[in-house]
């Protein structure tokens, strides 16, 4: 339902402005996942933070995003998308300000949580605003393609922007830069974004929401703290038991609700289920890569933050070229070929990274990073396509939100696992650090193989039949 002021069809220029405002929001939210990574070595030194503190600096943000994306989307459907969008921008801006003022690692982590609360109100809500502004099907598809490509681009360019800011103005600037951008977006949203609500919003599911946060939080906390407490400690064992009980609770409770937070019936579709797992695998691998790489470049090779950021250009630039081509290829021929390219590039990147050392020629390092750029450019469009393929239109938004949740969960786990693997050797630098990262690169190689396998399975005629059956039963 549109408000009276937004009832008239907006002009093409007005629609473009709305799309630009929504793209700005996704850029700042997603870039803040990766922009902080290049600042981690400096944050660790200046705030005297342990490795677990650096892990939580990233994971406190992505964990909240993963846990509350679906809730934020349904809330916006109910109370108004522009209203929630503006509230999200304000919370994100305030969180960014507090991050830049944080006197210690605990304060920084707390401010990152507030940032993420704002971020949850931006990603799914902005997508819904775009979908409701562009009413023509072809026009909507192009607009969503532009919006989705901004996510991969922001994730890849974050370290480059972060490196330049840290080198020129210090680590606090990576948070302060958000404030003027958010302020402009709030004003423009009030002026140009039409208010809209869903004809029937999904009801709030407090039990499902609590169970989801409980599972994610318990698993991530157990992984991060296992290094210091040990996997057999009562705390870690108890957390894993709580996570297992939470999963059992979700499987038993959610199917009984009319409007569950997690619509488990969607997983009857093999392409949908595969898309969620591929999103988790892909972003787990990339999250681990982004957590380890800036520390390798700065602490092992001794590069300045801005130079380390520039070394990640081979990751960012391919996204600009490959993502739009992949989107068109998926629309014309399906997701199989892009997923084969993405899985192969990821597995090769992980395998070749096993040979990285303190004295590896820089050209070889950059060539390896190019593989990660090819992977990132090829993997996002087929995930979104597979998630919503065959789903009724009423479920498309929820399916897309769950795919985003899979991405954020993967990023969270990638940081948690990689930080635990390298552990205290971070401070030792040199060969001690590169030896510790071997486990991370083996994990990434395996995840690349998993993307390949799932891409093949989800593209079979049998998989397409399960999507058709799932779509007609919803």
């Amino acid at each position: 339902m549109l408000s009276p002021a937004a009832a008239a069809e907006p002009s093409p220029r007005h629609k473009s402005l709305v799309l630009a405002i929504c793209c700005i929001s996704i850029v700042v939210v997603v870039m803040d996942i990766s922009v902080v990574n290049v600042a981690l070595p400096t944050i660790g030194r200046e705030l005297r933070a342990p490795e677990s503190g650096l892990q939580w600096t990233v994971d406190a943000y992505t964990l909240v995003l993963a846990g509350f994306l679906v809730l934020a989307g349904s809330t916006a459907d109910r109370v108004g998308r522009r209203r929630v969008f503006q509230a999200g921008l304000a919370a994100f801006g305030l969180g960014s300000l507090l991050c830049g003022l944080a006197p210690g690692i605990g304060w920084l982590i707390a401010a990152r949580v507030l940032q993420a609360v704002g971020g949850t109100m931006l990603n799914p809500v902005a997508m819904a605003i775009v979908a409701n502004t562009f009413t023509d099907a072809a026009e909507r598809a192009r607009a969503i393609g532009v919006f989705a490509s901004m996510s991969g681009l922001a994730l890849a360019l974050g370290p480059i922007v972060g490196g330049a800011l840290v080198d020129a103005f210090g680590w606090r600037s990576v948070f302060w830069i958000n404030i003027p951008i958010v302020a402009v977006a709030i004003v423009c949203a009030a002026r140009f974004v039409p208010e809209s609500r869903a004809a029937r919003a999904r009801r709030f599911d407090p039990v499902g929401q609590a169970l989801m946060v409980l599972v994610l939080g318990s698993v991530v906390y157990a992984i991060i703290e296992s290094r210091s407490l040990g996997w057999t400690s009562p705390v870690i064992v108890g957390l894993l038991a709580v996570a297992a009980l939470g999963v059992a609770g979700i499987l038993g409770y959610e199917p009984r609700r009319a409007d569950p937070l997690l619509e488990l019936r969607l997983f009857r579709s093999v392409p949908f289920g595969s898309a969620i797992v591929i999103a988790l695998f892909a972003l787990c691998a990339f999250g681990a890569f982004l957590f380890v790489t800036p520390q390798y470049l700065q602490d092992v090779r001794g590069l300045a933050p801005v130079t380390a950021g520039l070394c990640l250009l081979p990751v960012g630039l391919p996204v600009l070229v490959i993502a739009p081509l992949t989107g068109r290829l998926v629309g014309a021929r399906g997701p199989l070929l892009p997923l084969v390219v993405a899985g192969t590039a990821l597995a090769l990147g992980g395998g070749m990274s096993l040979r990285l050392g303190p004295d590896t020629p820089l050209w070889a390092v950059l060539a390896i990073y190019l593989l990660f750029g090819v992977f990132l450019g090829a993997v996002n469009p087929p995930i979104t396509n597979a998630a919503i393929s065959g789903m009724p239109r009423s479920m498309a938004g929820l399916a897309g939100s769950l795919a985003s949740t899979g991405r954020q969960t993967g990023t969270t786990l990638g940081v948690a696992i990689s930080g635990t693997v390298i552990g205290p050797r971070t401070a030792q630098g040199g060969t001690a650090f590169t030896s510790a990262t071997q486990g991370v690169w083996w994990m990434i190689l395996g995840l690349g193989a998993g993307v390949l396998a799932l891409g093949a399975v989800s593209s079979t005629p049998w998989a397409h039949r399960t999507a058709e059956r799932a779509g007609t039963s919803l």
Side-chain angles (χ1 to χ4, degrees):
M1 181 179 69
L2 291 174
S3 63
E9 178 74 11
S11 67
R13 179 176 176 273
H14 192 161
K15 291 180 180 180
S16 297
L17 285 170
V18 172
L19 178 60
I21 294 164
C22 291
C23 285
I24 289 171
S25 75
I26 194 65
V27 165
V28 294
V29 170
V30 175
M31 189 173 285
D32 242 60
I33 299 171
S34 59
V35 75
V36 173
N37 283 274
V38 78
L40 288 178
T42 306
I43 292 172
R45 287 191 297 270
E46 292 192 13
L47 298 184
R48 299 179 181 177
E51 186 70 14
S52 62
L54 299 183
Q55 288 171 273
W56 278 117
T57 300
V58 179
D59 271 353
Y61 184 83
T62 56
L63 184 59
V64 173
L65 285 179
F68 293 97
L69 275 174
V70 179
L71 173 62
S74 61
T75 301
D77 287 343
R78 186 179 303 109
V79 305
R81 297 182 179 115
R82 184 180 65 186
R83 182 180 300 175
V84 171
F85 184 72
Q86 289 178 295
L89 287 167
F92 187 86
L94 178 59
S96 298
L97 174 64
L98 295 177
C99 284
L101 297 173
I105 194 67
W107 289 100
L108 178 59
I109 293 168
R112 289 282 281 169
V113 170
L114 177 58
Q115 248 195 332
V117 169
T120 62
M121 302 183 211
L122 299 179
N123 189 341
V125 179
M127 175 67 85
I129 289 172
V130 170
N132 278 273
T133 300
F134 292 85
T135 53
D136 177 73
E139 195 179 43
R140 183 189 297 116
R142 287 194 297 271
I144 290 176
V146 171
F147 180 81
S149 68
M150 291 296 103
S151 177
L153 179 63
L155 195 62
L157 295 183
I160 302 168
V161 175
L165 289 171
V166 171
D167 207 49
F169 306 107
W171 67 266
R172 297 178 190 274
S173 64
V174 303
F175 300 109
W176 286 337
I177 191 66
N178 294 328
I179 298 171
I181 297 173
V182 165
V184 170
I186 290 174
V187 173
C188 290
R191 175 68 179 84
F192 298 109
V193 175
E195 184 59 286
S196 64
R197 296 177 178 84
R200 192 191 76 83
R202 295 175 68 85
R203 288 179 291 180
F204 177 45
D205 178 9
V207 175
Q209 182 65 68
L211 288 171
M212 183 175 178
V213 173
L214 187 68
V215 170
L216 292 176
S218 298
V219 170
V220 172
Y221 191 92
I223 293 172
I224 290 178
E225 300 301 330
S226 64
R227 169 71 62 172
S228 58
L229 298 177
W231 283 105
T232 58
S233 74
V235 173
I236 301 300
V237 173
L239 285 168
L240 294 177
V242 167
L245 290 173
V247 171
I250 288 171
L251 295 176
Y253 176 80
E254 290 295 275
R256 301 179 182 180
R257 280 189 59 88
D259 286 331
L261 179 77
L262 297 175
E263 182 58 82
L264 298 180
R265 292 179 298 169
L266 293 172
F267 288 90
R268 296 174 184 171
S269 164
V270 171
F272 174 82
S274 297
I276 302 304
V277 179
I278 289 171
L280 193 148
F281 280 8
L283 272 298
C284 179
F286 196 70
F289 167 79
L290 278 184
F291 186 77
V292 169
T293 296
Q295 297 181 69
Y296 164 73
L297 292 172
Q298 294 179 63
D299 293 340
V300 176
R301 300 190 69 98
L303 301 180
V306 65
T307 308
L310 290 172
C311 285
L312 289 167
L313 272 174
V315 180
L317 291 179
V319 177
L320 289 171
V321 178
I322 295 173
L325 295 177
T326 302
R328 288 197 289 270
L329 182 61
V330 168
R333 300 183 58 183
L336 178 57
L337 182 58
L339 287 176
V340 168
V341 171
T344 302
L346 181 60
L348 284 174
M352 294 179 68
S353 295
L354 289 166
R355 303 182 64 84
L356 289 177
D359 301 317
T360 302
L362 190 57
W363 66 264
V365 175
L366 299 181
I368 292 171
Y369 293 170
L370 182 63
L371 288 169
F372 285 97
V374 171
F375 149 74
L376 189 63
V379 79
N380 271 313
I383 288 174
T384 303
N385 177 271
I388 64 175
S389 178
M391 295 296 158
R393 187 169 178 178
S394 61
M395 288 287 184
L398 177 62
S401 294
L402 290 175
S404 294
T405 299
R407 290 185 181 98
Q408 302 305 335
T409 302
T411 302
T412 304
L413 292 175
V415 173
I417 294 169
S418 59
T420 301
V421 169
I422 62 177
R425 297 193 187 182
T426 305
Q428 299 175 20
T431 55
F433 181 92
T434 53
S435 296
T437 59
Q438 296 290 296
V440 176
W441 303 128
W442 277 113
M443 177 186 75
I444 290 175
L445 191 158
L447 291 171
V451 170
L452 265 174
L454 287 168
V457 170
S458 63
S459 300
T460 61
W462 164 75
H464 292 312
R465 287 195 296 271
T466 66
E468 292 171 4
R469 288 196 297 268
T472 55
S473 68
L474 291 171

